[in-house]
């Protein structure tokens, strides 16, 4: 109890130190985030990728406020188009459309958006609480991490992220995850400064820039994916009333509580992300709810299950990010890359190097949530006008923004080329059903995996036996068991998929 | 066509590209192993720069073979032959989606590799956006020019004046 009160005090301390400029930035950031998130094709990750360039020259407290408010706003913003157009503004809102669009067709689009916004706010509140309570515990645990544990954590991240994000063929998730590792190998080796895979190019000696690669994967490839086909859409439904009645709010609260917890757990899994959180929560809600059979026909409970979870993922994703430098979702990976540029190195030492950073993040997330709630409800009707803007106009505008996003940090034209290469690579991989989240995670965790693995092997003189002793290295032992389980379940799913193919061939 | 049939068709199409991917992955893996063995060893191979790429190379080879096995079980060899056949390539060239993506990539390349760095950023962006809008038939010509100019100037002012970030 005392520890909890101490955390509340630290949180209140961080709250009182928020400046007026930060609040103004949050108001603006949440608005920008909601608009970008609402536009079909512009994801929360893309929102951060595009606007990251603006944060380079900001001071750290302002940059944090800016990036977090965009993140919170963009994740929620997707529900507008999911409900009114049946086209999710972001993949996070795909599950929202299942009940949101039928509600819009019944003339309750405004109310559905209102429920979506309020559920997102609930999700944020629950996940911020979890962030404050759980992070210090994870942080204490993280202090026990040594080289072996960091290497195994990186490997576990790739395995679980690959498993969760690639549907029938987890092997594809693993492949892109390890390709991410490989990408991180390019450039001077961190221990001996030996140039690896640079092909004699001086520009590659510094390695492949994380931000150019991420901007390419989530910017250029997204532009191509959206513009490859003409998908005309128009809004025919009226928005109607927006603020839900107390009765509706009472009905969604139990669903929001459950979905909030699901969102936090999914968020804490490396790379899993908001879309997986929303789907898992929707599925659990459907099975657990008394009116589960009505899910998909236009019920507020279904909508709340998806919307609460996708926003709750944000707080959940911040837990491994701040404690272990492992992002829980693709947008949080962008956030991690951005704060690295500002000299903040998340991980076990964060609480020593930047005391109070966790609480600053929690406070900024809370204020962003409030801004999101107000803007979300206020913009429900005007957003219809924004959604009418053609994608053929919006998406090309993204390209110059990705160029600046890649260029602005290092002021190198080469970074623009890297961004373009990764954009095309991302597009091709997407077309072949490869998920992007493990690739991003691989690029981020690659250097940690490389250095930790080599150092660990050197320290143990190549002896792997200590890893198998749960008394000597309990965390490493648990991680190994988890990796084996992940590999087994993923392999089993791949075998099932393969057998399905063999059966089809036999029948032909 | 039922959902099941659509899924089966998609799976078999993917099987062809999976097989190509698997071959590429195995080659990448072998290449990585060979390159890593050429890297210097300082104290021991375990902490040498080539050690991790060596392991990764091995992982790629294993994953490549697993992917190949799955692709072959989905009739991947036949699909790959179809995918690379002259008839299919011609079909691809004629398909709207393929051409659209190709043109969009070409326009981006023109913007990034030809215009940027050689002419002023604002001018380069106006040219790129106007041509792209025109290709996509986004709106009428006057609006295209107005939007392109507005966006290019807006981005320039926002980044250079407000945030002190130089343009490429």
């Amino acid at each position: 109890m005392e520890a909890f009160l101490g955390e509340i005090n630290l949180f209140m301390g961080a709250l009182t130190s928020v400046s007026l400029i930060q609040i103004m930035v949050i108001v603006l950031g949440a608005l920008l985030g909601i608009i970008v998130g609402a536009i079909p094709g512009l994801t929360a990750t893309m929102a951060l990728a595009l606007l990251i360039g603006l944060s380079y020259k900001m001071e750290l407290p302002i940059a944090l406020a800016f990036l977090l408010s965009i993140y919170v706003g963009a994740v929620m913003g997707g529900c507008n188009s999911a409900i009114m157009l049946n086209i999710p503004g972001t993949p996070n809102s795909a599950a929202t459309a299942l009940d949101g669009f039928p509600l819009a067709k019944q003339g309750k689009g405004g109310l559905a958006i209102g429920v979506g916004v309020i559920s997102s706010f609930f999700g944020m509140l629950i996940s911020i609480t979890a962030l404050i309570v759980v992070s210090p515990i994870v942080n204490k645990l993280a202090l026990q991490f040594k080289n072996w544990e960091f290497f195994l954590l990186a490997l576990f991240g790739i395995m679980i992220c690959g498993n969760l994000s690639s549907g029938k063929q987890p092997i594809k998730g693993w492949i892109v995850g390890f390709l991410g590792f490989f990408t991180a190998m390019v450039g001077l080796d961190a221990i001996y400064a030996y140039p690896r895979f640079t092909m004699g190019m001086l520009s590659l000696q510094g390695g492949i820039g994380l931000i150019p690669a991420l901007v390419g994967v989530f910017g250029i490839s997204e532009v191509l994916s959206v513009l490859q086909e003409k998908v005309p859409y128009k809004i025919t439904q009226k928005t109607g009333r927006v603020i839900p009645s107390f009765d509706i709010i009472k009905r969604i609260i139990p669903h929001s509580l459950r979905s909030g917890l699901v969102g936090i757990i999914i968020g804490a899994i490396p790379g899993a992300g908001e879309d997986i959180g929303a789907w898992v929560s929707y599925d659990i809600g459907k099975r657990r709810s008394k009116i589960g059979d009505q899910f998909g026909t236009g019920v507020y409970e279904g909508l709340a299950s998806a919307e609460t979870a996708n926003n709750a993922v944000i707080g959940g994703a911040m837990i491994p990010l701040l404690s272990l430098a492992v992002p829980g979702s693709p947008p949080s990976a962008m956030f991690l890359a951005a704060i690295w540029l500002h000299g903040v190195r998340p991980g076990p030492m964060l609480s020593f190097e930047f005391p109070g950073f966790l609480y600053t993040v929690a406070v900024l997330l809370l204020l962003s949530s409030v801004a999101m709630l107000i803007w979300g409800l206020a913009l429900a009707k005007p957003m219809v006008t924004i959604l009418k803007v053609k994608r053929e106009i919006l998406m090309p505008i993204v390209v110059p923004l990705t160029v600046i996003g890649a260029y602005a940090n290092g002021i190198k034209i080469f970074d623009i080329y890297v961004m373009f290469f990764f954009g095309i690579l991302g597009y091709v991989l997407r077309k072949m059903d490869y998920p992007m989240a493990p690739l991003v995670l691989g690029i981020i965790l690659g250097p940690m995996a490389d250095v930790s693995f080599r150092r660990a092997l050197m320290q143990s003189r190549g002896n792997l036996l200590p890893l198998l002793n749960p008394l000597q290295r309990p965390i490493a032992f648990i991680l190994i068991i988890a990796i084996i389980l992940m590999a087994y379940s993923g392999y089993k799913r791949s075998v099932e998929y393969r057998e399905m193919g063999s059966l089809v061939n036999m029948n032909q | 066509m039922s959902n099941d049939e659509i899924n089966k068709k998609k799976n078999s199409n993917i099987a062809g590209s999976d097989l190509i991917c698997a071959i590429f992955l195995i080659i990448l893996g072998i290449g990585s192993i060979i390159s890593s063995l050429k890297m210097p060893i300082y104290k021991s191979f375990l902490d040498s720069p080539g050690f991790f790429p060596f392991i990764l190379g091995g992982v790629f080879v294993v994953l490549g073979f697993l992917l190949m096995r799955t692709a072959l079980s989905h009739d991947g060899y036949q699909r790959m032959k179809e995918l690379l056949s002259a008839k299919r390539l011609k079909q691809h060239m004629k398909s709207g989606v393929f051409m659209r993506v190709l043109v969009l990539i070409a326009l981006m390349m023109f913007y990034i590799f030809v215009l940027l760095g050689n002419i002023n950023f604002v001018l380069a962006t106006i040219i790129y956006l106007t041509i792209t809008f025109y290709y996509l038939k986004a709106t009428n010509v006057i609006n295209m020019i107005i939007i392109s100019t507005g966006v290019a100037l807006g981005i320039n002012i926002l980044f250079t004046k407000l945030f002190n970030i130089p343009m490429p």
Side-chain angles (χ1 to χ4, degrees):
Chain A
M1 190 64 191
E2 254 179 53
F4 181 68
L5 285 175
E7 276 153 26
I8 295 292
N9 278 338
L10 286 167
F11 179 80
M12 294 311 288
L15 187 63
T16 50
S17 65
V18 174
S19 69
L20 186 65
I21 299 176
Q22 277 179 299
I23 293 174
M24 283 160 65
V25 167
I26 284 171
V27 171
L28 179 76
L31 174 67
L32 272 175
I34 293 172
I35 292 173
V36 176
I39 296 166
L42 299 184
T43 62
T45 319
M46 198 192 206
L48 282 163
L50 296 182
L51 299 167
I52 209 167
L54 287 176
S55 72
Y56 291 150
K57 294 285 169 97
M58 292 177 182
E59 290 191 5
L60 179 64
I62 309 291
L64 283 176
F66 184 62
L67 294 166
L68 289 172
S69 55
I70 289 171
Y71 186 5
V72 172
V75 172
M76 187 286 288
C79 85
N80 286 281
S81 44
I83 291 166
M84 296 309 292
L85 296 170
N86 201 21
I87 302 174
T90 62
N92 328 326
S93 312
T96 308
L98 295 181
D99 280 290
F101 189 61
L103 281 165
K105 282 207 286 192
Q106 295 164 25
K108 297 174 187 165
L111 269 179
I113 294 174
V115 168
V117 173
I118 291 168
S119 308
S120 299
F121 183 68
F122 284 155
M124 286 306 304
L125 291 186
I126 298 167
S127 74
I128 292 166
T129 312
L131 175 66
I132 298 169
V133 175
V134 180
S135 274
I137 301 167
V138 178
N139 210 43
K140 271 183 198 156
L141 203 69
L143 284 170
Q144 295 172 34
F145 274 51
K146 301 282 182 299
N147 286 318
W148 272 121
E149 284 79 6
F150 276 116
F151 164 68
L152 290 168
L153 180 70
L155 192 58
F156 171 72
I158 295 299
M159 297 302 285
I160 193 165
C161 183
N163 249 5
L164 288 175
S165 59
S166 41
K168 289 176 195 157
Q169 278 187 287
I171 190 174
K172 287 192 167 180
W174 301 340
I175 287 171
V176 283
F178 289 115
L179 275 178
F181 270 9
F182 187 75
T183 306
M185 295 304 107
V186 177
L188 292 180
D189 148 55
I191 298 180
Y192 293 108
Y194 179 81
R196 294 187 293 195
F197 308 108
T198 55
M199 295 171 282
M201 289 165 74
L202 210 62
S203 306
L204 277 177
Q205 290 212 348
I208 288 175
L210 177 60
I211 290 190
L214 296 191
V215 171
V217 166
F218 291 104
I220 296 292
S221 78
E222 200 81 41
V223 171
L224 291 171
S225 301
V226 171
L227 287 179
Q228 64 181 2
E229 277 173 285
K230 274 191 170 178
V231 187
Y233 56 82
K234 59 178 179 182
I235 300 171
T236 48
Q237 287 79 27
K238 291 239 167 10
T239 320
R241 183 184 152 179
V242 176
I243 309 284
S245 64
F246 184 66
D247 180 51
I248 294 175
I249 293 177
K250 220 168 74 180
R251 272 166 53 196
I252 64 167
I253 282 177
H255 290 79
S256 287
L257 283 173
R258 182 179 52 228
S259 305
L261 292 175
V262 173
I264 294 162
I265 294 166
I266 299 287
I269 296 173
E274 288 78 7
D275 47 345
I276 295 173
W279 280 115
V280 172
S281 166
Y282 187 84
D283 183 53
I284 292 174
K286 193 174 177 177
R287 281 188 276 120
R288 303 277 304 202
S289 172
K290 282 177 192 163
I291 56 159
D293 55 329
Q294 292 171 38
F295 272 39
T297 60
V299 287
Y300 294 113
E301 288 83 347
L303 176 68
S305 297
E307 271 306 303
T308 309
N310 64 22
N311 268 82
V313 165
I314 298 175
M318 287 291 157
I319 297 171
L321 187 146
L322 296 178
S323 311
L324 298 157
V326 177
S329 66
S332 68
M334 287 303 308
F335 175 74
L336 177 66
I339 60 172
W340 268 343
L341 291 176
H342 284 272
V344 180
R345 311 293 300 181
M349 302 311 286
L350 182 71
S351 55
F352 300 105
E353 289 167 5
F354 290 87
F357 191 83
L358 162 70
Y359 302 96
T360 305
V361 169
V363 164
L364 295 176
L365 281 175
L366 180 68
L367 294 175
S368 302
S369 312
V370 175
M372 172 207 76
L373 178 72
I374 296 166
W375 277 126
L377 294 174
L379 285 176
K381 287 187 179 179
M383 193 59 82
V384 172
T385 318
I386 296 167
L387 292 179
K388 282 178 183 163
V389 179
K390 288 164 85 177
R391 293 199 286 188
E392 282 78 7
I393 293 177
L394 285 169
M395 298 314 278
I397 296 173
V398 167
V399 177
L401 289 171
T402 58
V403 163
I404 297 170
Y407 176 80
N409 179 45
I411 320 289
K412 284 188 292 183
I413 289 278
F414 184 75
D415 282 344
I416 302 176
Y417 302 157
V418 169
M419 182 271 297
F420 181 70
F421 172 79
F422 274 87
I424 303 297
L425 180 73
Y427 174 74
V428 173
L429 289 174
R430 271 171 203 236
K431 289 289 275 185
M432 292 193 292
D433 277 355
Y434 286 87
M436 289 299 101
L439 178 72
V440 172
L441 203 63
I443 299 175
I444 289 176
L445 299 180
M448 179 170 97
D450 174 27
V451 174
S452 306
F453 190 32
R454 284 156 62 194
R455 280 188 183 149
L457 277 172
M458 282 304 287
Q459 280 164 0
S460 66
R461 295 197 181 105
N463 185 7
L464 298 177
L465 283 177
L467 286 176
L468 302 175
N469 185 348
L471 295 174
Q472 214 172 333
R473 301 198 90 99
I475 299 171
F477 185 76
I478 292 167
L479 283 169
I480 288 175
I481 299 290
I483 290 167
I484 292 170
L485 287 175
M486 285 294 130
Y488 175 72
S489 75
Y491 179 73
K492 214 173 127 190
R493 261 163 59 207
S494 291
V495 168
E496 280 166 11
Y497 176 74
R498 191 163 63 222
E499 281 168 357
M500 194 180 87
S502 304
L503 275 175
V504 171
N505 287 341
M506 275 167 66
N507 291 337
Q508 278 172 355
Chain B
M1 205 185 273
S2 72
N3 272 350
D4 264 6
E5 281 169 316
I6 292 169
N7 280 340
K8 274 176 198 167
K9 192 166 184 278
K10 196 186 165 205
N11 285 344
S12 50
N13 279 339
I14 289 281
S17 56
D18 278 355
L19 191 57
I20 298 170
C21 239
I23 295 166
F24 169 78
L25 204 63
I26 293 167
I27 294 169
L28 178 73
I30 294 169
S32 175
I33 291 171
I34 294 169
S35 301
S36 61
L37 289 174
K38 285 180 185 165
M39 289 179 195
I41 295 169
Y42 298 98
K43 286 180 195 160
S44 112
F45 182 59
L46 295 180
D47 87 328
S48 71
F51 179 70
F52 201 67
F54 176 81
I55 302 283
L56 271 183
V59 170
F60 284 147
V61 172
V62 173
L63 290 175
F65 276 113
L66 286 174
L67 186 66
M68 184 184 271
R69 213 176 134 198
T70 309
L72 289 174
S73 71
H74 281 262
D75 210 9
Y77 183 64
Q78 195 56 34
R79 302 292 166 200
M80 185 182 76
K81 272 191 353 194
E82 279 171 24
L83 210 64
L84 299 175
S85 68
K87 192 180 150 197
R88 188 64 182 269
L89 287 173
K90 267 185 199 165
Q91 265 178 2
H92 251 310
M93 294 302 280
K94 282 182 188 166
S95 94
V97 173
F98 185 74
M99 281 314 288
R100 210 171 147 90
V101 170
L102 220 58
V103 172
L104 288 169
I105 291 175
L107 288 171
M108 284 178 195
M109 287 176 76
F110 176 63
Y111 177 53
I112 291 171
F113 296 103
V114 180
L115 298 180
L116 288 179
N118 289 320
I119 60 169
N120 175 277
F121 173 79
V122 175
L123 197 61
T125 305
I126 292 172
I127 294 170
Y128 165 72
L129 286 178
T130 310
I131 299 174
T132 310
F133 287 151
Y134 185 77
Y135 172 70
L136 294 170
K137 296 185 183 93
T139 176
N140 62 53
V141 178
I142 305 286
N143 279 349
M144 284 176 201
I145 296 169
I146 294 172
I147 295 170
S148 307
T149 312
V151 167
L153 286 173
I155 291 175
N156 190 50
I157 292 168
L158 184 70
F159 281 88
T160 55
K161 307 288 176 205
L162 215 65
F163 291 97
N164 228 4
I165 294 166
M167 294 289 103

